[in-house]
Amino acid sequence: MSDSAATGGFSADAGEGTRAVRAGLPDPVKYEPTLPGPVFAAHFHLPGEPTGPYTYGRDENPTWTHLERAIGELEAPGHDDVETLAFASGMAAVSAVLFSQLRTGDTVVLPSDGYQALPLVRAQLEAYGIVVRTAPTGGDAQLDVLDGAKLLWIESPSNPGLDVCDIRRLVEAAHTRGALVAVDNTLATPLGQRPLELGADFSVASGTKQLTGHGDVLLGHVTGRAGEPMSAVRRWRKIVGAIPGPMEAWLAHRSIATLQMRVDRQTAGALAVAEALRSRSEVSGLRYPGLPGDPSHEIASRQMRRFGCVVSFTLPTRARAERFLDALRLVDDATSFGGVRSTAERRGRWGGDAVPEGFIRLSVGAEDPDDLVADVLRALDESGR
Ligand SMILES: Cc1ncc(COP(=O)(O)O)c(C=O)c1O
């Protein structure tokens, strides 16, 4: 945030719903809307010396400023020493951090079980002479490959396996070795987890998922402490031009007002679905960090405030998984996650994740949990006939 910690008129002890509803709002101006509309501008009037805040549309835009303040207030409430940058997509944000911080000869540690575009990123990093090491998220295995690294990249919970690592522990180990730490916070959202409070240097996310939550916007964001690393991320955005459109930025800001309601509802629905799946004999490998007994539950309970909307599990065969997806009525067969309408997919169809053929990633939407559970159980019955 460029000026003050909170802009929406809420007090320091305001609840998360209040914060979400008012995050990033400018001071009221008579006859102006509460959330100013999108500013469509490639350039701004700029007589004299070309100083900001608004000069050229690839550098800054007032609609981004409001959105960036809103995200910053949720990622690091009460901190006026952090900065948030909005991007055209989650991958634009991910790439901005990696490629702005790393140089030829540097070493980076990535998760071996993270988002399926990371192997593509790895190939590009290696093409630039950056050394890439990988280790799984679970069991804090990245600890073992940290020596000499410049940057540690964490994805917790991981997509699609939903493993969780001890972020604070990994951050301490990385900082001791002089490495920066970035956490992909996509699955958790800032209402589920605040990586900067756990010590990380960057919280990075795809806002395409639950942050915007309606399956109609591509967006990314990075929050970090103001300083040279974040300045480098800003320069990268300017150089590459990976900027969000004003309409997307405005839609995202509007959507954040309902973030707490959506996240709470979807978290409750995900737990209900996970509990229902637990008793089914055809389901194996059920994972949900919010489910007591899940391998991630203990550490997730310590560092997360909400456990997210994604449940993963495996059906016995690819054919069974496809029949299950076909039989669902309230759940769309679609990729992505975090939207108010439930989606599910057989993740193996993309070929990028090390998952069994019958592996399903189910994103729980804002439908009534009872209706969803009934739909999932009926589809399981029908797919077994
Ligand atoms: C964990 C994670 N990080 C990053 C991304 C990339 O986001 P986007 O699709 O908005 O580029 C995704 C997309 O699914 C993701 O799941």
Side-chain angles (χ1 to χ4, degrees), residues 151-171:
L151 179 70
L152 166 63
W153 190 270
I154 291 171
E155 188 178 303
S156 182
S158 60
N159 170 25
L162 303 180
D163 264 324
V164 169
C165 59
D166 185 336
I167 295 176
R168 207 182 277 283
R169 182 175 177 222
L170 283 162
V171 166

Side-chain angles (χ1 to χ4, degrees), residues 102-103 105-109 130-133 145 147-151:
L102 297 166
R103 305 278 176 277
D106 286 344
T107 296
V108 59
V109 174
I130 294 156
V131 178
V132 180
R133 292 186 202 138
V145 291
D147 279 347
K150 171 94 183 295
L151 179 70

Side-chain angles (χ1 to χ4, degrees), residues 11 43 64 109 124 130 138 140 167-168 184 275 279 315 351 363:
S11 61
H43 56 259
W64 307 349
V109 174
Q124 194 59 55
I130 294 156
D140 299 343
I167 295 176
R168 207 182 277 283
D184 186 323
E275 279 170 344
S279 58
L315 293 175
S363 170

